[in-house]
Amino acid sequence: MFNLVIFGAPGSGKGTQSKKLIDRYGLTHISTGEVLRSQIAAGTELGKIADSYISKGHLIPDDLMVDILASEVDRLRPTSNGFIFDGFPRTIPQADALKKMLEQRGEEVHSVIGLEVADEELMERLIKRGAESGRADDNPETIGNRLKVYHSTTSPLRDYYNKEGKYTPIHGSGQVEDIFSNIVNAIDSHPALKA
Ligand code: AMP
């Protein structure tokens, strides 16, 4: 298995690049945001809890999020060659939990690709996405909170994965295809894929 984390602020292009990466490497995509949005759309209890956090731009509590991720991993693992984790981990306790969860299953995170985009561009992209997709949390107030949470709570994971020698920063502005080919170059040079 090859397990990849696609990392970056809201609006940095994680979803767009994940779609292309699935096609190229045949990996299984787990987007925690999409899992939560589908629970909200289905009106489940979990969806109601998730909505109360998402609509404010806050993170879902770690314990709940880790349980959701573990059940997705176990549901999809039998048919998977590896995962793209998109939107998880978002906190240091989540990263610790992911490491432990994968270790218990004889796996690991091989590589973390960080899409780096300036805040002004993120804000512009998210407002545009909100207008086009109608995603409820893509409104200026919630976007502002999400970017604050990203900088205070999620961005320390760059150091976390840097120390493990797993973090590759990728400039996330410009043409989607150019960004994708930079990601592919970084992944293809990974020893776990060359083997
Ligand atoms: P995303 O689609 O990844 O931008 O996620 C949308 C929202 O879902 C986030 O703003 C959070 O409220 C929630 N969410 C998604 N993933 C996580 C996570 N790993 N930890 C906590 N909250 C999350």
Side-chain angles (χ1 to χ4, degrees), residues 3 40 82 117 179:
N3 297 309
I40 295 173
V117 178
I179 299 165

Side-chain angles (χ1 to χ4, degrees), residues 133-145:
S133 74
R135 212 177 113 167
D137 59 344
D138 286 341
N139 66 74
E141 193 189 336
T142 310
I143 294 168
N145 281 339

Side-chain angles (χ1 to χ4, degrees), residues 32-34 36-37 53-54 58-60 65 87-88 90 94 135 137 146:
T32 44
E34 276 172 21
L36 297 168
R37 282 188 289 281
Y53 292 95
I54 293 180
H58 296 164
L59 296 182
I60 274 75
M65 211 55 241
F88 190 101
R90 265 177 153 97
Q94 289 183 15
R135 212 177 113 167
D137 59 344
R146 287 158 66 206

Side-chain angles (χ1 to χ4, degrees), residues 24 26 45-46 59 79 91 111 126 135 142 157 159 164 184:
R24 183 166 181 116
E45 273 314 302
L46 172 59
L59 296 182
T79 54
T91 66
S111 176
L126 290 167
R135 212 177 113 167
T142 310
L157 289 173
D159 273 354
E164 295 195 345
V184 166

